[in-house]
Amino acid sequence: MEIEIRGLRKVYPGGVVALEGLDLTIPPGVFALLGPNGSGKTTLMRILATLLEPTAGEAYVAGHDVRREKGAIREMLGYMPQEFGFYPSLTAYETLDYFGLLCRMNDPKERRSRIEQSLANVNLGEYAGRKVSTFSGGMKQRLGIAQALLNDPRVLIVDEPTSGLDPEERIRLRNLLVELAGGRVVILSTHIVSDVAVTSEGMAILHQGRLRFSGKPAELLGRLEGRTWIIDIEEEELSRVREELFVTGVFRSATGMQVRVIEDEMSHPGGYQTAPTLDDAYVAAMNQEVGSVGMG
Ligand code: ADP
């Protein structure tokens, strides 16, 4: 069960190039698409969900072509868009009932059983009868995921599920996606690096429609092994250090400032080595300090 993407390109009417010939293999498990706003994550997800036609290139979901086998893909795929509209006056159950009817789950008994299963999957079982207007942001996101789970999909695609959530809700949602991944492909997009670290078996970094990295988070970190350093500096030194070294983060310390830098050899006096973080790796990938690579 895999997703294969070869030379995928999307140019929107008007000429915006959203994807620049992407090659990517997405294995089962949780896969994070990481990148700043506008890097092409939504475009890629909508193409995989057969909601958008690519301009060129190919993509296969479990061997099915996104252009020619839309029906087969839709049967096995659940999609939660970034902007998910709810009717606030409906209950959670009624919301899913409505979506179930929309995707032609006509058998009432089966529909009920799928709705109950989906609500249980996202831990909303006991809130089935509550109006959506009373839900927190995290509960609404989980209801959105329940909607995407109605057809028990083998591929679940969720666009920016953690955006707008507070830290506790974010962690909860992250854990939920890991639970749902058993045997499924779960693709989530995010611009928040810390969403990736713990959850994802695989990840890809997009930048302006191009792939900057794909592989395991640990592989990305491995590329910076022995190359990340902390330097204690005075505040006045910051602009000079920024010019001379590749800075990935700046922090206040009790005595002044600390900067994290990536260098093969530390030339600055007082620099000491530290373990790379995914934040370092992300900043580096955005600036091509780790080299662009495929998953192999
Ligand atoms: P992300 O999900 O990473 O924020 P998107 O896939 O939404 O990125 O957007 C990638 C690029 O394509 C951006 O430059 C965006 O402005 C552009 N874009 C997205 N949707 C459309 C559209 N319907 N028409 C024209 N340009 C679009």
Side-chain angles (χ1 to χ4, degrees):
M1 182 50 166
E2 271 194 347
I3 295 175
E4 283 285 336
I5 297 161
R6 295 288 161 252
L8 198 66
R9 190 173 153 79
K10 177 67 190 180
V11 184
Y12 282 107
V16 176
V17 182
L19 295 174
E20 289 254 21
L22 208 65
D23 294 303
L24 182 64
T25 301
I26 302 180
V30 178
F31 191 90
L33 279 178
L34 180 63
N37 287 330
S39 55
K41 304 181 296 294
T42 299
T43 301
L44 174 58
M45 291 182 142
R46 290 181 49 101
I47 290 174
L48 294 177
T50 73
L51 301 171
L52 188 66
E53 285 288 325
T55 308
E58 292 157 48
Y60 298 90
V61 177
H64 297 290
D65 185 330
V66 292
R67 289 177 212 266
R68 288 193 302 265
E69 296 170 277
K70 291 188 170 61
I73 293 176
R74 285 178 193 174
E75 269 175 32
M76 67 164 104
L77 184 134
Y79 175 66
M80 183 176 90
Q82 207 169 342
E83 301 287 330
F84 192 80
F86 291 106
Y87 296 98
S89 61
L90 295 187
T91 65
Y93 187 95
E94 288 164 347
T95 302
L96 295 189
D97 200 42
Y98 171 73
F99 278 106
L101 283 168
L102 274 188
C103 54
R104 282 179 254 142
M105 291 181 155
N106 292 327
D107 181 70
K109 238 178 163 174
E110 197 198 321
R111 196 166 67 243
R112 165 176 287 270
S113 129
R114 282 306 316 154
I115 291 170
E116 285 169 358
Q117 184 60 54
S118 299
L119 285 170
N121 278 342
V122 300
N123 308 316
L124 282 178
E126 56 186 296
Y127 299 100
R130 280 257 298 262
K131 284 198 169 146
V132 177
S133 56
T134 67
F135 279 16
S136 70
M139 289 166 84
K140 282 187 190 148
Q141 290 300 72
R142 282 188 277 142
L143 185 58
I145 292 174
Q147 162 272 328
L149 287 173
L150 272 180
N151 61 343
D152 195 17
R154 290 161 65 198
V155 179
L156 178 64
I157 297 182
V158 287
D159 198 352
E160 295 267 359
T162 64
S163 77
L165 299 187
D166 64 40
E168 198 185 327
E169 284 181 322
R170 233 170 65 208
I171 292 167
R172 210 174 155 170
L173 199 77
R174 241 162 45 182
N175 293 341
L176 172 68
L177 291 173
V178 175
E179 280 170 37
L180 292 175
R184 289 192 172 98
V185 182
V186 175
I187 306 175
L188 74 130
S189 69
T190 180
H191 60 273
I192 301 164
V193 177
S194 61
D195 278 346
V196 179
V198 241
T199 14
S200 314
E201 286 133 88
M203 67 182 288
I205 299 179
L206 288 180
H207 178 73
Q208 294 181 352
R210 288 175 200 274
L211 191 69
R212 279 293 167 86
F213 171 82
S214 80
K216 293 181 193 299
E219 286 166 13
L220 185 61
L221 288 175
R223 292 186 185 188
L224 293 180
E225 207 53 66
R227 297 170 60 208
T228 43
W229 310 78
I230 289 175
I231 315 174
D232 290 305
I233 58 166
E234 306 285 336
E235 197 158 344
E236 307 80 71
E237 290 179 89
L238 182 59
S239 56
R240 188 176 53 79
V241 169
R242 271 193 190 282
E243 269 169 34
E244 289 171 4
L245 303 172
F246 185 83
V247 174
T248 61
V250 180
F251 304 89
R252 293 222 167 258
S253 71
T255 51
M257 291 196 120
Q258 282 192 334
V259 291
R260 298 181 66 87
V261 304
I262 299 174
E263 292 294 315
D264 291 337
E265 306 266 333
M266 178 44 59
S267 51
H268 197 281
Y272 51 95
Q273 212 164 56
T274 183
T277 64
L278 217 52
D279 279 306
D280 296 326
Y282 180 63
V283 177
M286 284 294 112
N287 291 277
Q288 288 193 315
E289 281 286 309
V290 290
S292 151
V293 258
M295 181 109 119

